[in-house]
Amino acid sequence: MQAVIERPKQNDLAELSQFCRNFEKECFDRNMSEEDGMSDATNLLNNDKAYIVRADGKAVAMAKSARKTATHIAVNGVYTLPEYRQRGYAAAVVAHICKLILNEGKIPLLYTDLANPCSNKAYTNVGFVPCGKVDEVHLKWK
């Protein structure tokens, strides 16, 4: 099976919208509306730092870079369709983005959920190493 890493195209919009909605549900257990999914997908289309993996003629994985600082650029929004997981697609798109970040003279970084061993394996396969832990704090406004 031939897989390529490329920028998403307009005809990927519906798949990207579903990716965004699935990502939000799987990572944060939040339901995203179809409208918000389309908005996020449109932002991905317009983001020159977003990439997809295309296999079997369709988009099967995505990632992007964001949060550029003087020294670092983060990789985020990494998502692979469940039926295409454990085939190296996430690692491939993350490695591609990391190479672009390194070419800018910056250091790639990402945050991961320690409870997700599959994504952590993909990141270590690319060369990421744990550098610290971040606690998540939720504030409730009255």
Side-chain angles (χ1 to χ4, degrees), residues 19-54:
F19 285 8
C20 293
R21 295 176 71 215
N22 291 353
F23 179 85
E24 193 73 13
K25 182 65 177 169
E26 290 180 29
C27 292
F28 305 110
D29 196 28
R30 293 188 296 238
N31 292 317
M32 177 184 275
S33 70
E34 288 186 30
E35 181 180 322
D36 287 344
M38 284 302 255
S39 176
D40 282 7
T42 300
N43 289 338
L44 284 169
L45 282 176
N46 296 324
N47 179 348
D48 66 347
K49 305 295 185 189
Y51 290 87
I52 62 166
V53 175
R54 190 176 307 281

PDB file of all heavy atoms in Angstrom, residues 19-54:
ATOM      1  N   PHE A  19     -12.137  14.003  11.429  1.00  0.00           N
ATOM      2  CA  PHE A  19     -10.905  13.846  12.215  1.00  0.00           C
ATOM      3  C   PHE A  19     -10.943  14.772  13.426  1.00  0.00           C
ATOM      4  O   PHE A  19     -10.636  14.363  14.543  1.00  0.00           O
ATOM      5  CB  PHE A  19      -9.669  14.205  11.393  1.00  0.00           C
ATOM      6  CG  PHE A  19      -9.249  13.192  10.368  1.00  0.00           C
ATOM      7  CD1 PHE A  19     -10.013  12.087  10.068  1.00  0.00           C
ATOM      8  CD2 PHE A  19      -8.068  13.372   9.680  1.00  0.00           C
ATOM      9  CE1 PHE A  19      -9.608  11.169   9.109  1.00  0.00           C
ATOM     10  CE2 PHE A  19      -7.644  12.471   8.729  1.00  0.00           C
ATOM     11  CZ  PHE A  19      -8.415  11.363   8.445  1.00  0.00           C
ATOM     12  N   CYS A  20     -11.289  16.047  13.179  1.00  0.00           N
ATOM     13  CA  CYS A  20     -11.306  17.039  14.265  1.00  0.00           C
ATOM     14  C   CYS A  20     -12.313  16.645  15.340  1.00  0.00           C
ATOM     15  O   CYS A  20     -12.024  16.738  16.537  1.00  0.00           O
ATOM     16  CB  CYS A  20     -11.630  18.416  13.711  1.00  0.00           C
ATOM     17  SG  CYS A  20     -10.354  19.085  12.626  1.00  0.00           S
ATOM     18  N   ARG A  21     -13.480  16.190  14.924  1.00  0.00           N
ATOM     19  CA  ARG A  21     -14.502  15.777  15.877  1.00  0.00           C
ATOM     20  C   ARG A  21     -14.060  14.533  16.646  1.00  0.00           C
ATOM     21  O   ARG A  21     -14.239  14.450  17.868  1.00  0.00           O
ATOM     22  CB  ARG A  21     -15.822  15.550  15.154  1.00  0.00           C
ATOM     23  CG  ARG A  21     -16.375  16.857  14.558  1.00  0.00           C
ATOM     24  CD  ARG A  21     -17.633  16.657  13.748  1.00  0.00           C
ATOM     25  NE  ARG A  21     -18.706  16.351  14.673  1.00  0.00           N
ATOM     26  CZ  ARG A  21     -19.701  15.512  14.404  1.00  0.00           C
ATOM     27  NH1 ARG A  21     -19.760  14.890  13.258  1.00  0.00           N
ATOM     28  NH2 ARG A  21     -20.640  15.300  15.295  1.00  0.00           N
ATOM     29  N   ASN A  22     -13.466  13.569  15.944  1.00  0.00           N
ATOM     30  CA  ASN A  22     -12.980  12.351  16.611  1.00  0.00           C
ATOM     31  C   ASN A  22     -11.857  12.681  17.593  1.00  0.00           C
ATOM     32  O   ASN A  22     -11.809  12.132  18.696  1.00  0.00           O
ATOM     33  CB  ASN A  22     -12.470  11.345  15.586  1.00  0.00           C
ATOM     34  CG  ASN A  22     -13.565  10.752  14.726  1.00  0.00           C
ATOM     35  OD1 ASN A  22     -14.743  10.979  14.947  1.00  0.00           O
ATOM     36  ND2 ASN A  22     -13.169  10.013  13.705  1.00  0.00           N
ATOM     37  N   PHE A  23     -10.927  13.552  17.175  1.00  0.00           N
ATOM     38  CA  PHE A  23      -9.810  13.948  18.032  1.00  0.00           C
ATOM     39  C   PHE A  23     -10.340  14.552  19.332  1.00  0.00           C
ATOM     40  O   PHE A  23      -9.895  14.197  20.425  1.00  0.00           O
ATOM     41  CB  PHE A  23      -8.924  14.952  17.280  1.00  0.00           C
ATOM     42  CG  PHE A  23      -7.753  15.440  18.075  1.00  0.00           C
ATOM     43  CD1 PHE A  23      -6.572  14.720  18.115  1.00  0.00           C
ATOM     44  CD2 PHE A  23      -7.816  16.634  18.777  1.00  0.00           C
ATOM     45  CE1 PHE A  23      -5.476  15.166  18.847  1.00  0.00           C
ATOM     46  CE2 PHE A  23      -6.736  17.091  19.510  1.00  0.00           C
ATOM     47  CZ  PHE A  23      -5.556  16.358  19.538  1.00  0.00           C
ATOM     48  N   GLU A  24     -11.286  15.464  19.209  1.00  0.00           N
ATOM     49  CA  GLU A  24     -11.857  16.130  20.381  1.00  0.00           C
ATOM     50  C   GLU A  24     -12.511  15.114  21.325  1.00  0.00           C
ATOM     51  O   GLU A  24     -12.359  15.197  22.544  1.00  0.00           O
ATOM     52  CB  GLU A  24     -12.883  17.174  19.926  1.00  0.00           C
ATOM     53  CG  GLU A  24     -13.297  18.126  20.988  1.00  0.00           C
ATOM     54  CD  GLU A  24     -12.250  19.156  21.358  1.00  0.00           C
ATOM     55  OE1 GLU A  24     -11.250  19.335  20.644  1.00  0.00           O
ATOM     56  OE2 GLU A  24     -12.436  19.795  22.411  1.00  0.00           O
ATOM     57  N   LYS A  25     -13.204  14.142  20.759  1.00  0.00           N
ATOM     58  CA  LYS A  25     -13.888  13.137  21.574  1.00  0.00           C
ATOM     59  C   LYS A  25     -12.885  12.181  22.221  1.00  0.00           C
ATOM     60  O   LYS A  25     -12.952  11.919  23.421  1.00  0.00           O
ATOM     61  CB  LYS A  25     -14.894  12.354  20.714  1.00  0.00           C
ATOM     62  CG  LYS A  25     -15.683  11.330  21.484  1.00  0.00           C
ATOM     63  CD  LYS A  25     -16.575  11.982  22.516  1.00  0.00           C
ATOM     64  CE  LYS A  25     -17.423  10.955  23.245  1.00  0.00           C
ATOM     65  NZ  LYS A  25     -18.088  11.525  24.412  1.00  0.00           N
ATOM     66  N   GLU A  26     -11.942  11.668  21.422  1.00  0.00           N
ATOM     67  CA  GLU A  26     -10.996  10.686  21.947  1.00  0.00           C
ATOM     68  C   GLU A  26     -10.005  11.286  22.935  1.00  0.00           C
ATOM     69  O   GLU A  26      -9.637  10.645  23.906  1.00  0.00           O
ATOM     70  CB  GLU A  26     -10.245  10.014  20.802  1.00  0.00           C
ATOM     71  CG  GLU A  26     -11.112   9.092  19.978  1.00  0.00           C
ATOM     72  CD  GLU A  26     -10.370   8.434  18.837  1.00  0.00           C
ATOM     73  OE1 GLU A  26      -9.141   8.228  18.946  1.00  0.00           O
ATOM     74  OE2 GLU A  26     -11.022   8.115  17.825  1.00  0.00           O
ATOM     75  N   CYS A  27      -9.562  12.511  22.671  1.00  0.00           N
ATOM     76  CA  CYS A  27      -8.539  13.117  23.533  1.00  0.00           C
ATOM     77  C   CYS A  27      -9.114  13.828  24.749  1.00  0.00           C
ATOM     78  O   CYS A  27      -8.490  13.835  25.806  1.00  0.00           O
ATOM     79  CB  CYS A  27      -7.697  14.103  22.721  1.00  0.00           C
ATOM     80  SG  CYS A  27      -6.688  13.290  21.486  1.00  0.00           S
ATOM     81  N   PHE A  28     -10.256  14.458  24.586  1.00  0.00           N
ATOM     82  CA  PHE A  28     -10.775  15.306  25.652  1.00  0.00           C
ATOM     83  C   PHE A  28     -12.176  14.911  26.121  1.00  0.00           C
ATOM     84  O   PHE A  28     -12.750  15.575  26.968  1.00  0.00           O
ATOM     85  CB  PHE A  28     -10.785  16.771  25.194  1.00  0.00           C
ATOM     86  CG  PHE A  28      -9.435  17.244  24.725  1.00  0.00           C
ATOM     87  CD1 PHE A  28      -9.214  17.511  23.376  1.00  0.00           C
ATOM     88  CD2 PHE A  28      -8.386  17.385  25.610  1.00  0.00           C
ATOM     89  CE1 PHE A  28      -7.968  17.940  22.935  1.00  0.00           C
ATOM     90  CE2 PHE A  28      -7.139  17.805  25.180  1.00  0.00           C
ATOM     91  CZ  PHE A  28      -6.933  18.074  23.840  1.00  0.00           C
ATOM     92  N   ASP A  29     -12.722  13.843  25.518  1.00  0.00           N
ATOM     93  CA  ASP A  29     -14.067  13.376  25.846  1.00  0.00           C
ATOM     94  C   ASP A  29     -15.099  14.497  25.732  1.00  0.00           C
ATOM     95  O   ASP A  29     -16.006  14.620  26.552  1.00  0.00           O
ATOM     96  CB  ASP A  29     -14.116  12.740  27.236  1.00  0.00           C
ATOM     97  CG  ASP A  29     -15.379  11.906  27.428  1.00  0.00           C
ATOM     98  OD1 ASP A  29     -15.909  11.382  26.421  1.00  0.00           O
ATOM     99  OD2 ASP A  29     -15.846  11.794  28.582  1.00  0.00           O
ATOM    100  N   ARG A  30     -14.933  15.321  24.687  1.00  0.00           N
ATOM    101  CA  ARG A  30     -15.878  16.405  24.415  1.00  0.00           C
ATOM    102  C   ARG A  30     -16.489  16.184  23.040  1.00  0.00           C
ATOM    103  O   ARG A  30     -15.784  15.834  22.089  1.00  0.00           O
ATOM    104  CB  ARG A  30     -15.179  17.769  24.435  1.00  0.00           C
ATOM    105  CG  ARG A  30     -14.674  18.158  25.808  1.00  0.00           C
ATOM    106  CD  ARG A  30     -14.171  19.590  25.826  1.00  0.00           C
ATOM    107  NE  ARG A  30     -13.016  19.770  24.972  1.00  0.00           N
ATOM    108  CZ  ARG A  30     -11.829  20.223  25.379  1.00  0.00           C
ATOM    109  NH1 ARG A  30     -11.640  20.532  26.642  1.00  0.00           N
ATOM    110  NH2 ARG A  30     -10.842  20.375  24.533  1.00  0.00           N
ATOM    111  N   ASN A  31     -17.779  16.402  22.943  1.00  0.00           N
ATOM    112  CA  ASN A  31     -18.462  16.303  21.665  1.00  0.00           C
ATOM    113  C   ASN A  31     -18.365  17.635  20.938  1.00  0.00           C
ATOM    114  O   ASN A  31     -18.685  18.679  21.500  1.00  0.00           O
ATOM    115  CB  ASN A  31     -19.928  15.925  21.851  1.00  0.00           C
ATOM    116  CG  ASN A  31     -20.082  14.520  22.374  1.00  0.00           C
ATOM    117  OD1 ASN A  31     -19.404  13.608  21.913  1.00  0.00           O
ATOM    118  ND2 ASN A  31     -20.965  14.329  23.333  1.00  0.00           N
ATOM    119  N   MET A  32     -17.905  17.594  19.704  1.00  0.00           N
ATOM    120  CA  MET A  32     -17.779  18.785  18.872  1.00  0.00           C
ATOM    121  C   MET A  32     -18.917  18.775  17.861  1.00  0.00           C
ATOM    122  O   MET A  32     -19.192  17.745  17.241  1.00  0.00           O
ATOM    123  CB  MET A  32     -16.424  18.783  18.159  1.00  0.00           C
ATOM    124  CG  MET A  32     -16.218  19.951  17.217  1.00  0.00           C
ATOM    125  SD  MET A  32     -14.653  19.845  16.310  1.00  0.00           S
ATOM    126  CE  MET A  32     -13.537  20.569  17.493  1.00  0.00           C
ATOM    127  N   SER A  33     -19.547  19.909  17.673  1.00  0.00           N
ATOM    128  CA  SER A  33     -20.631  20.004  16.701  1.00  0.00           C
ATOM    129  C   SER A  33     -20.084  19.852  15.280  1.00  0.00           C
ATOM    130  O   SER A  33     -18.896  20.062  15.032  1.00  0.00           O
ATOM    131  CB  SER A  33     -21.343  21.353  16.827  1.00  0.00           C
ATOM    132  OG  SER A  33     -20.502  22.396  16.365  1.00  0.00           O
ATOM    133  N   GLU A  34     -20.961  19.472  14.363  1.00  0.00           N
ATOM    134  CA  GLU A  34     -20.555  19.371  12.959  1.00  0.00           C
ATOM    135  C   GLU A  34     -20.061  20.722  12.454  1.00  0.00           C
ATOM    136  O   GLU A  34     -19.091  20.795  11.709  1.00  0.00           O
ATOM    137  CB  GLU A  34     -21.704  18.849  12.108  1.00  0.00           C
ATOM    138  CG  GLU A  34     -21.980  17.380  12.335  1.00  0.00           C
ATOM    139  CD  GLU A  34     -23.019  16.824  11.383  1.00  0.00           C
ATOM    140  OE1 GLU A  34     -23.131  17.326  10.247  1.00  0.00           O
ATOM    141  OE2 GLU A  34     -23.707  15.879  11.786  1.00  0.00           O
ATOM    142  N   GLU A  35     -20.730  21.790  12.871  1.00  0.00           N
ATOM    143  CA  GLU A  35     -20.335  23.136  12.455  1.00  0.00           C
ATOM    144  C   GLU A  35     -18.921  23.473  12.937  1.00  0.00           C
ATOM    145  O   GLU A  35     -18.095  23.981  12.174  1.00  0.00           O
ATOM    146  CB  GLU A  35     -21.335  24.162  13.002  1.00  0.00           C
ATOM    147  CG  GLU A  35     -21.031  25.580  12.599  1.00  0.00           C
ATOM    148  CD  GLU A  35     -22.052  26.562  13.155  1.00  0.00           C
ATOM    149  OE1 GLU A  35     -23.251  26.221  13.196  1.00  0.00           O
ATOM    150  OE2 GLU A  35     -21.639  27.663  13.548  1.00  0.00           O
ATOM    151  N   ASP A  36     -18.630  23.176  14.194  1.00  0.00           N
ATOM    152  CA  ASP A  36     -17.291  23.439  14.723  1.00  0.00           C
ATOM    153  C   ASP A  36     -16.245  22.545  14.056  1.00  0.00           C
ATOM    154  O   ASP A  36     -15.117  22.963  13.816  1.00  0.00           O
ATOM    155  CB  ASP A  36     -17.257  23.253  16.240  1.00  0.00           C
ATOM    156  CG  ASP A  36     -17.961  24.378  16.981  1.00  0.00           C
ATOM    157  OD1 ASP A  36     -18.209  25.448  16.375  1.00  0.00           O
ATOM    158  OD2 ASP A  36     -18.282  24.188  18.172  1.00  0.00           O
ATOM    159  N   GLY A  37     -16.634  21.297  13.752  1.00  0.00           N
ATOM    160  CA  GLY A  37     -15.731  20.403  13.046  1.00  0.00           C
ATOM    161  C   GLY A  37     -15.367  20.949  11.670  1.00  0.00           C
ATOM    162  O   GLY A  37     -14.208  20.908  11.259  1.00  0.00           O
ATOM    163  N   MET A  38     -16.369  21.481  10.960  1.00  0.00           N
ATOM    164  CA  MET A  38     -16.107  22.070   9.639  1.00  0.00           C
ATOM    165  C   MET A  38     -15.247  23.322   9.762  1.00  0.00           C
ATOM    166  O   MET A  38     -14.364  23.564   8.929  1.00  0.00           O
ATOM    167  CB  MET A  38     -17.417  22.391   8.931  1.00  0.00           C
ATOM    168  CG  MET A  38     -18.087  21.154   8.389  1.00  0.00           C
ATOM    169  SD  MET A  38     -17.023  20.264   7.235  1.00  0.00           S
ATOM    170  CE  MET A  38     -17.782  20.704   5.721  1.00  0.00           C
ATOM    171  N   SER A  39     -15.467  24.091  10.801  1.00  0.00           N
ATOM    172  CA  SER A  39     -14.657  25.295  11.022  1.00  0.00           C
ATOM    173  C   SER A  39     -13.196  24.916  11.273  1.00  0.00           C
ATOM    174  O   SER A  39     -12.279  25.501  10.685  1.00  0.00           O
ATOM    175  CB  SER A  39     -15.216  26.088  12.206  1.00  0.00           C
ATOM    176  OG  SER A  39     -14.406  27.200  12.485  1.00  0.00           O
ATOM    177  N   ASP A  40     -12.982  23.927  12.139  1.00  0.00           N
ATOM    178  CA  ASP A  40     -11.619  23.466  12.410  1.00  0.00           C
ATOM    179  C   ASP A  40     -10.978  22.878  11.153  1.00  0.00           C
ATOM    180  O   ASP A  40      -9.790  23.086  10.891  1.00  0.00           O
ATOM    181  CB  ASP A  40     -11.601  22.436  13.537  1.00  0.00           C
ATOM    182  CG  ASP A  40     -11.716  23.058  14.920  1.00  0.00           C
ATOM    183  OD1 ASP A  40     -11.945  24.286  15.013  1.00  0.00           O
ATOM    184  OD2 ASP A  40     -11.593  22.311  15.901  1.00  0.00           O
ATOM    185  N   ALA A  41     -11.758  22.128  10.376  1.00  0.00           N
ATOM    186  CA  ALA A  41     -11.236  21.528   9.145  1.00  0.00           C
ATOM    187  C   ALA A  41     -10.842  22.613   8.143  1.00  0.00           C
ATOM    188  O   ALA A  41      -9.800  22.513   7.485  1.00  0.00           O
ATOM    189  CB  ALA A  41     -12.275  20.586   8.543  1.00  0.00           C
ATOM    190  N   THR A  42     -11.646  23.653   8.044  1.00  0.00           N
ATOM    191  CA  THR A  42     -11.326  24.765   7.151  1.00  0.00           C
ATOM    192  C   THR A  42     -10.039  25.448   7.597  1.00  0.00           C
ATOM    193  O   THR A  42      -9.198  25.806   6.765  1.00  0.00           O
ATOM    194  CB  THR A  42     -12.493  25.772   7.104  1.00  0.00           C
ATOM    195  OG1 THR A  42     -13.653  25.081   6.620  1.00  0.00           O
ATOM    196  CG2 THR A  42     -12.185  26.947   6.204  1.00  0.00           C
ATOM    197  N   ASN A  43      -9.871  25.595   8.905  1.00  0.00           N
ATOM    198  CA  ASN A  43      -8.623  26.171   9.426  1.00  0.00           C
ATOM    199  C   ASN A  43      -7.422  25.303   9.058  1.00  0.00           C
ATOM    200  O   ASN A  43      -6.352  25.822   8.739  1.00  0.00           O
ATOM    201  CB  ASN A  43      -8.706  26.358  10.941  1.00  0.00           C
ATOM    202  CG  ASN A  43      -9.640  27.467  11.342  1.00  0.00           C
ATOM    203  OD1 ASN A  43      -9.943  28.371  10.552  1.00  0.00           O
ATOM    204  ND2 ASN A  43     -10.139  27.417  12.554  1.00  0.00           N
ATOM    205  N   LEU A  44      -7.595  23.985   9.102  1.00  0.00           N
ATOM    206  CA  LEU A  44      -6.509  23.085   8.705  1.00  0.00           C
ATOM    207  C   LEU A  44      -6.159  23.265   7.224  1.00  0.00           C
ATOM    208  O   LEU A  44      -4.990  23.267   6.852  1.00  0.00           O
ATOM    209  CB  LEU A  44      -6.874  21.630   8.973  1.00  0.00           C
ATOM    210  CG  LEU A  44      -6.808  21.184  10.425  1.00  0.00           C
ATOM    211  CD1 LEU A  44      -7.441  19.802  10.581  1.00  0.00           C
ATOM    212  CD2 LEU A  44      -5.381  21.179  10.932  1.00  0.00           C
ATOM    213  N   LEU A  45      -7.188  23.405   6.390  1.00  0.00           N
ATOM    214  CA  LEU A  45      -6.938  23.617   4.960  1.00  0.00           C
ATOM    215  C   LEU A  45      -6.136  24.891   4.715  1.00  0.00           C
ATOM    216  O   LEU A  45      -5.312  24.946   3.807  1.00  0.00           O
ATOM    217  CB  LEU A  45      -8.259  23.697   4.184  1.00  0.00           C
ATOM    218  CG  LEU A  45      -8.962  22.396   3.898  1.00  0.00           C
ATOM    219  CD1 LEU A  45     -10.300  22.660   3.221  1.00  0.00           C
ATOM    220  CD2 LEU A  45      -8.121  21.479   3.035  1.00  0.00           C
ATOM    221  N   ASN A  46      -6.399  25.893   5.532  1.00  0.00           N
ATOM    222  CA  ASN A  46      -5.731  27.189   5.360  1.00  0.00           C
ATOM    223  C   ASN A  46      -4.416  27.300   6.118  1.00  0.00           C
ATOM    224  O   ASN A  46      -3.738  28.310   6.015  1.00  0.00           O
ATOM    225  CB  ASN A  46      -6.680  28.316   5.788  1.00  0.00           C
ATOM    226  CG  ASN A  46      -7.900  28.391   4.906  1.00  0.00           C
ATOM    227  OD1 ASN A  46      -7.826  28.153   3.700  1.00  0.00           O
ATOM    228  ND2 ASN A  46      -9.039  28.692   5.499  1.00  0.00           N
ATOM    229  N   ASN A  47      -4.069  26.274   6.870  1.00  0.00           N
ATOM    230  CA  ASN A  47      -2.848  26.269   7.680  1.00  0.00           C
ATOM    231  C   ASN A  47      -1.738  25.585   6.878  1.00  0.00           C
ATOM    232  O   ASN A  47      -1.793  24.377   6.648  1.00  0.00           O
ATOM    233  CB  ASN A  47      -3.104  25.520   8.993  1.00  0.00           C
ATOM    234  CG  ASN A  47      -1.892  25.437   9.879  1.00  0.00           C
ATOM    235  OD1 ASN A  47      -0.764  25.728   9.477  1.00  0.00           O
ATOM    236  ND2 ASN A  47      -2.107  25.009  11.104  1.00  0.00           N
ATOM    237  N   ASP A  48      -0.743  26.355   6.482  1.00  0.00           N
ATOM    238  CA  ASP A  48       0.332  25.764   5.676  1.00  0.00           C
ATOM    239  C   ASP A  48       1.251  24.865   6.494  1.00  0.00           C
ATOM    240  O   ASP A  48       2.208  24.305   5.968  1.00  0.00           O
ATOM    241  CB  ASP A  48       1.128  26.838   4.946  1.00  0.00           C
ATOM    242  CG  ASP A  48       1.902  27.755   5.875  1.00  0.00           C
ATOM    243  OD1 ASP A  48       1.647  27.745   7.093  1.00  0.00           O
ATOM    244  OD2 ASP A  48       2.762  28.487   5.375  1.00  0.00           O
ATOM    245  N   LYS A  49       0.942  24.668   7.761  1.00  0.00           N
ATOM    246  CA  LYS A  49       1.726  23.787   8.638  1.00  0.00           C
ATOM    247  C   LYS A  49       0.974  22.499   8.955  1.00  0.00           C
ATOM    248  O   LYS A  49       1.380  21.741   9.822  1.00  0.00           O
ATOM    249  CB  LYS A  49       2.081  24.498   9.946  1.00  0.00           C
ATOM    250  CG  LYS A  49       2.792  25.822   9.775  1.00  0.00           C
ATOM    251  CD  LYS A  49       4.147  25.653   9.147  1.00  0.00           C
ATOM    252  CE  LYS A  49       4.865  26.995   9.125  1.00  0.00           C
ATOM    253  NZ  LYS A  49       6.076  26.969   8.366  1.00  0.00           N
ATOM    254  N   ALA A  50      -0.159  22.253   8.284  1.00  0.00           N
ATOM    255  CA  ALA A  50      -0.959  21.049   8.506  1.00  0.00           C
ATOM    256  C   ALA A  50      -0.695  20.059   7.381  1.00  0.00           C
ATOM    257  O   ALA A  50      -0.599  20.443   6.215  1.00  0.00           O
ATOM    258  CB  ALA A  50      -2.441  21.405   8.568  1.00  0.00           C
ATOM    259  N   TYR A  51      -0.609  18.781   7.740  1.00  0.00           N
ATOM    260  CA  TYR A  51      -0.329  17.723   6.773  1.00  0.00           C
ATOM    261  C   TYR A  51      -1.226  16.523   7.041  1.00  0.00           C
ATOM    262  O   TYR A  51      -1.667  16.317   8.174  1.00  0.00           O
ATOM    263  CB  TYR A  51       1.137  17.289   6.851  1.00  0.00           C
ATOM    264  CG  TYR A  51       2.056  18.349   6.324  1.00  0.00           C
ATOM    265  CD1 TYR A  51       2.519  19.355   7.150  1.00  0.00           C
ATOM    266  CD2 TYR A  51       2.407  18.372   4.985  1.00  0.00           C
ATOM    267  CE1 TYR A  51       3.333  20.364   6.659  1.00  0.00           C
ATOM    268  CE2 TYR A  51       3.217  19.375   4.490  1.00  0.00           C
ATOM    269  CZ  TYR A  51       3.679  20.364   5.328  1.00  0.00           C
ATOM    270  OH  TYR A  51       4.461  21.370   4.831  1.00  0.00           O
ATOM    271  N   ILE A  52      -1.466  15.759   5.999  1.00  0.00           N
ATOM    272  CA  ILE A  52      -2.207  14.514   6.127  1.00  0.00           C
ATOM    273  C   ILE A  52      -1.372  13.378   5.549  1.00  0.00           C
ATOM    274  O   ILE A  52      -0.438  13.607   4.780  1.00  0.00           O
ATOM    275  CB  ILE A  52      -3.572  14.557   5.402  1.00  0.00           C
ATOM    276  CG1 ILE A  52      -3.378  14.770   3.893  1.00  0.00           C
ATOM    277  CG2 ILE A  52      -4.481  15.595   6.015  1.00  0.00           C
ATOM    278  CD1 ILE A  52      -4.621  14.495   3.073  1.00  0.00           C
ATOM    279  N   VAL A  53      -1.727  12.181   5.944  1.00  0.00           N
ATOM    280  CA  VAL A  53      -1.217  10.978   5.297  1.00  0.00           C
ATOM    281  C   VAL A  53      -2.373  10.458   4.457  1.00  0.00           C
ATOM    282  O   VAL A  53      -3.493  10.295   4.954  1.00  0.00           O
ATOM    283  CB  VAL A  53      -0.779   9.906   6.315  1.00  0.00           C
ATOM    284  CG1 VAL A  53      -0.373   8.632   5.593  1.00  0.00           C
ATOM    285  CG2 VAL A  53       0.344  10.425   7.188  1.00  0.00           C
ATOM    286  N   ARG A  54      -2.096  10.225   3.182  1.00  0.00           N
ATOM    287  CA  ARG A  54      -3.097   9.668   2.288  1.00  0.00           C
ATOM    288  C   ARG A  54      -2.693   8.229   1.950  1.00  0.00           C
ATOM    289  O   ARG A  54      -1.587   7.983   1.486  1.00  0.00           O
ATOM    290  CB  ARG A  54      -3.201  10.505   1.012  1.00  0.00           C
ATOM    291  CG  ARG A  54      -4.389  10.123   0.143  1.00  0.00           C
ATOM    292  CD  ARG A  54      -4.531  11.020  -1.080  1.00  0.00           C
ATOM    293  NE  ARG A  54      -4.550  12.437  -0.774  1.00  0.00           N
ATOM    294  CZ  ARG A  54      -5.608  13.113  -0.309  1.00  0.00           C
ATOM    295  NH1 ARG A  54      -6.735  12.477  -0.074  1.00  0.00           N
ATOM    296  NH2 ARG A  54      -5.535  14.412  -0.081  1.00  0.00           N
TER     297      ARG A  54
END
